[in-house]
Amino acid sequence: MDKLFKLFVCLGLIAGGVCFTQTYEVYNKFGSDGIYEIQDDGQKLGENASGFGGLYNIAFGLISMPRFAAQAEYRLDLSNDPQYQNYTLVGSPIKANVWFRPSKQTELVFGNNFYMALPGSFMNVFNEFTPNGWYGRKYFGATFVWGPVTAGVNVPHMGVENDDFSVKVNFGANLNLNIFNIGANYKMDAESFSVFANFTGVENLYLSAGYTYNGYAIGTANGYGDWRKILSNPIVQWNDRYDTSHIVNFSGTFRFWRLTLGADLEAALYDTEQNPFYAGGVVILELIEDLDFKIDVKYFTEFLNDDSWRDPWNVIIHPRFIFENQRHQIIAGVKIDVHQWLTPTAVSGKQSTYLAIPVSWKYKF
């Protein structure tokens, strides 16, 4: 109850302060995985399980003025992943950051989970920037604008290690030519280099592509593709391995009439035995004003070099209806997750099927 009280106090402070700001956004999102059913040949859940998938609540606030901006997001979960028994209330901050704009060409940011990413790294089906496209997400960042060039620097790590002062710095820069963006970043903490580009020169068409050396792969079936993580928590938990790798990305959407089609692709070549791969597709149909039908399919796998093991994979199918107007967003649908993973004693792998009926209601104040 204490966490719940603090949440509403924060919302009240944000809402109370908006009258002194130029722009603001405050919303609350309440949802659930609904009724779920699991068919599992693993060890813990048993062959079959079903029940109620818990509740979650996300509160978000953004205040923006000419020289200053701040945002915060907080999540409450009523669940007990992965068995959904003995429900407990757990709170976790998602993001909290502030910006300072000493001039039109300069912006400083402090906090966590802020966005400093190359525009061409956005994956339309995944609905997020790739982790390789981000060059700034936490602690301190600075952005500078010179005409069509946007450059940024982020300090994700600073401290004393073995009596020596240690600091890591990430760099990013993007050139905007109106119909075309091209940018690159370098992450000192990962010794990673990426380049991304996107094209928007044709109406209703978006295309992007990228290459990364020494980065993260979202296709890791046992990282992001863990179905328990995906369906119980929308906060992406990236696999924190750094292997010598070459990763290529493609993404695109095309809209005609009331129909939007989109596709993602990421392929990675690691200097180890696994080679992660991700592909996704989405169809969005505008049924009437304010009401869309959306279905996306995501496929994650790791192609293994050892022929004696079966490749792990994960398929997620999520059809839903989306009603959205100026204040309300209501989403209801079905989510199906089929996941196969490997165990040291089962060469053929284990498989689980998860069926949920997620619903959510988002209200903008």
Side-chain angles (χ1 to χ4, degrees), residues 307-324:
D307 294 335
S308 66
W309 290 72
R310 181 180 295 179
D311 299 333
W313 52 267
N314 188 195
V315 176
I316 305 170
I317 305 172
H318 189 189
R320 67 268 202 195
F321 291 94
I322 303 174
F323 170 80
E324 187 168 13

Side-chain angles (χ1 to χ4, degrees), residues 274-324:
Q274 62 263 63
N275 298 301
F277 178 84
Y278 156 71
V282 64
V283 177
I284 305 173
L285 176 61
E286 182 184 346
L287 300 175
I288 58 175
E289 186 177 5
D290 299 334
L291 181 62
D292 293 341
F293 173 75
K294 179 178 181 179
I295 179 171
D296 55 48
V297 179
K298 301 183 181 74
Y299 172 73
F300 306 85
T301 190
E302 287 181 295
F303 297 112
L304 305 181
N305 296 328
D306 188 346
D307 294 335
S308 66
W309 290 72
R310 181 180 295 179
D311 299 333
W313 52 267
N314 188 195
V315 176
I316 305 170
I317 305 172
H318 189 189
R320 67 268 202 195
F321 291 94
I322 303 174
F323 170 80
E324 187 168 13

Side-chain angles (χ1 to χ4, degrees), residues 188-362:
M188 186 182 295
D189 58 338
E191 297 184 353
S192 171
F193 173 78
S194 298
V195 57
F196 286 90
N198 68 328
F199 174 75
T200 58
V202 177
E203 186 177 4
N204 299 324
L205 176 67
Y206 173 90
L207 297 173
S208 68
Y211 166 78
T212 300
Y213 174 76
N214 251 26
Y216 295 101
I218 61 178
T220 305
N222 290 324
Y224 176 79
D226 186 334
W227 59 271
R228 293 184 178 90
K229 293 181 182 178
I230 294 172
L231 295 178
S232 65
N233 192 344
I235 306 171
V236 176
Q237 303 292 333
W238 302 114
N239 189 333
D240 58 1
R241 295 177 308 177
Y242 289 106
D243 297 318
T244 301
S245 59
H246 303 274
I247 303 173
V248 292
N249 299 86
F250 300 94
S251 186
T253 59
F254 178 64
R255 177 179 172 86
F256 62 95
W257 185 58
R258 296 183 174 181
L259 187 66
T260 300
L261 304 176
D264 289 344
L265 177 67
E266 180 189 88
L269 179 64
Y270 275 40
D271 190 23
T272 57
E273 66 176 14
Q274 62 263 63
N275 298 301
F277 178 84
Y278 156 71
V282 64
V283 177
I284 305 173
L285 176 61
E286 182 184 346
L287 300 175
I288 58 175
E289 186 177 5
D290 299 334
L291 181 62
D292 293 341
F293 173 75
K294 179 178 181 179
I295 179 171
D296 55 48
V297 179
K298 301 183 181 74
Y299 172 73
F300 306 85
T301 190
E302 287 181 295
F303 297 112
L304 305 181
N305 296 328
D306 188 346
D307 294 335
S308 66
W309 290 72
R310 181 180 295 179
D311 299 333
W313 52 267
N314 188 195
V315 176
I316 305 170
I317 305 172
H318 189 189
R320 67 268 202 195
F321 291 94
I322 303 174
F323 170 80
E324 187 168 13
N325 58 20
Q326 292 183 348
R327 288 192 176 272
H328 299 270
Q329 181 194 70
I330 299 174
I331 303 176
V334 176
K335 183 175 285 186
I336 303 170
D337 183 288
V338 182
H339 179 89
Q340 176 178 276
W341 70 98
L342 301 178
T343 65
T345 59
V347 175
S348 60
K350 296 289 187 178
Q351 184 170 308
S352 292
T353 301
Y354 184 104
L355 172 65
I357 307 176
V359 294
S360 67
W361 170 44
K362 175 180 174 181

Side-chain angles (χ1 to χ4, degrees), residues 115-117 128-137 185 187 238:
Y115 279 88
M116 297 176 69
E128 187 58 273
F129 293 95
T130 74
N132 301 314
W134 267 312
Y135 58 90
R137 292 191 66 183
N185 65 47
K187 302 176 186 178
W238 302 114

